[in-house]
Each structure stands twice: as structure tokens, then as C-alpha cells.
Amino acid sequence: MRIPRDAILPSLFALVLALGVLLPLLMMVTISLNPNEQDIMVSMGSIRSFIPHVLSLQNYVEVWTDPVHPFGRYLANTAFITFSTLVLSILFNSMAAFVLAQGTLAIRKPVMILILATLAVPGESLVLPQLMMAGWLGQVDSYQVQIVPGVANAMSIFLFYQFFSRLPKELIEAARIDGFSFFQIYRHVAMPLSKPVISAIAVLQFLEIWNAYLWPVMVTRGPEYRPLSVAMSAYFGTNQAAWGNIMAFAVSMAIPVILFFLILQRQFIASVMSSGVKG
């Protein structure tokens, strides 16, 4: 198959971008399959670190069965926190966006502008006040302290708002004529049509919540509520880091993210494509 001349440059750029993403992943998998720490250190920085020459699951077994750092507990914590935050976030942010897009409040636009303005505030600047509030409420070292702060998301509200504001007025009016209440229009008309937006928000927030580190490391004290991102840092607390175990932990942590994206990739791409179409 011959590539058109005008497509050569974009194809080369896509290839370089793909290699930039895949090579670190390949290196991570290669090192995770090598149980010989000395061999790992020798091959670091060479082409051998990208080519699997040893196939062993020893590092994975050590990580999954470590009694000091229970991987299964960390995985269950991360999954529960991520999916709880994701479901609540999609529910409440879509409700807020629908009210701002289709409601009758006179201050809808100022409120939307105020919400967008919060995107300019660094999240790190809010960590200390949130930590003081969590301590005052006695919620430190719990699931809820890791879930509640992540529910409200300005970007999610904005993406839902953009979609809901473009819904045909005739469709909304037809639903009202059929006797639908405002909430019924949201539930039975707006939400079923917003599946591509939901998928895009789910992928973006899933990555953000799954890999969150700063807030969980400040509010968790032990393995009972600790997520994977915080648990992984424990491997760097030793005098000599075991790179095979670290990479096995990282691969195990990345697999759910990759699977989640593969499941929603069609809807995610559809949302990205539709966001660039006007009219």
C-alpha cells in the first residue's frame, strides 16, 4: 500500500509518538520479567533493556505475595476509590452541567465562568486546607477522605456543559410536551445521548484518580486504606531499590488502566472527533 505524499509527515510523526509511548512500556515489561537484579543494572541504558531476554514471573510472585506490602489489599483499595469517585463525579457533575446548560437561572453563565476560573487554581494549594478540614472532621485514613474531594471536577462540568448546551431545543421542548419533568429530561434524554462524553470523562478521570499520589500519601497511615500509587513508593524507601520488583509492581498497576482504556476507546475517540465538529 502506497502512502500519499501529504500523509508521509503525519505518519512519521505518529510513528515517533507511538515509539515514545511504547518504548518505556517495553522497557518496564522487560525489566519486570528479569529476576536477576545485577543483570538489570548491567543492561540499564543499553538496547538489552528493551529486548526481553529473560522470561520469569518471579518478580510478580514476590510483589503479589509480599506480606509486608499486601498488593491485593492495595489493588482493592485503589479500585474501590477510583470507581466510587468516578461514578459520583459523573453523576453530580452532569447534574450541575445540565442545570447550567438548560436551566432557567439568571446567573448560569457567571456560575459557569466561576467554575472554569477554578481551573487556574493549582490543586496543590488546596491540599493543606483540605487536610486541616479532614482532620477536624476526623476523616483522615479512610475511604471517604480519598473519594469526596475528587467528586467535583471543573473540567468534567465544562465538558458536560458543552454537550448539553448543544442539545437541539426541539428535542427538549418535545420532551416537555410529553410531560417530562426537568429531571426526567436529564435522565431519559440528555444522559443517554451523552455516552461519548461520559466515556471521555471516565477515561481522563480514571487516569487521574488511579495515579493520584499527593493527597493519598497525606491522608493514609497504613495498608488498610492505602492505594497502589502510595504503596509503590515504599519500594524506594529501602537502601537498595529492587528494580525488578518495582517494574513488576508498575506493570501490575498499569494493566487495569490499559484495559479500561481499551474497553472505552471507541467512545473516547468518538467524543474527541465530535468535539471538533461544529454545526
Side-chain angles (χ1 to χ4, degrees), residues 82-193:
T82 301
F83 284 104
S84 298
T85 307
L86 203 56
V87 171
L88 292 174
S89 179
I90 290 174
L91 178 64
F92 288 107
N93 292 330
S94 61
M95 285 182 177
F98 189 72
V99 170
L100 293 172
Q102 299 293 337
T104 57
L105 294 174
I107 58 171
R108 288 182 300 156
K109 289 187 177 179
V111 170
M112 192 65 223
I113 292 173
L114 185 63
I115 291 173
L116 290 176
T118 62
L119 292 173
V121 180
E124 292 79 3
S125 64
L126 302 175
V127 169
L128 187 56
Q130 288 178 340
L131 182 61
M132 294 174 64
M133 187 179 297
W136 179 66
L137 294 173
Q139 298 298 310
V140 175
D141 205 23
S142 63
Y143 287 126
Q144 55 267 29
V145 77
Q146 299 179 72
I147 294 172
V148 174
V151 171
N153 188 285
M155 182 56 69
S156 297
I157 294 175
F158 174 69
L159 293 175
F160 273 120
Y161 176 84
Q162 287 288 93
F163 180 81
F164 291 149
S165 61
R166 291 185 298 180
L167 289 176
K169 293 182 179 179
E170 296 80 6
L171 184 64
I172 303 297
E173 289 299 324
R176 286 173 178 163
I177 292 173
D178 288 341
F180 280 27
S181 66
F182 189 77
F183 179 76
Q184 287 175 326
I185 295 173
Y186 157 79
R187 179 182 176 185
H188 298 291
V189 178
M191 288 303 285
L193 293 174

Side-chain angles (χ1 to χ4, degrees), residues 177-248:
I177 292 173
D178 288 341
F180 280 27
S181 66
F182 189 77
F183 179 76
Q184 287 175 326
I185 295 173
Y186 157 79
R187 179 182 176 185
H188 298 291
V189 178
M191 288 303 285
L193 293 174
S194 63
K195 288 181 181 178
V197 181
I198 293 174
S199 299
I201 291 172
V203 170
L204 295 174
Q205 281 203 271
F206 185 92
L207 291 171
E208 181 183 349
I209 302 165
W210 188 271
N211 296 317
Y213 176 78
L214 180 60
W215 179 245
V217 79
M218 296 181 70
V219 297
T220 56
R221 300 291 181 266
E224 187 176 1
Y225 300 104
R226 184 170 289 169
L228 286 169
S229 57
V230 178
M232 186 176 175
S233 64
Y235 284 92
F236 293 96
T238 58
N239 294 329
Q240 186 177 1
W243 288 105
N245 288 1
I246 291 173
M247 293 304 174

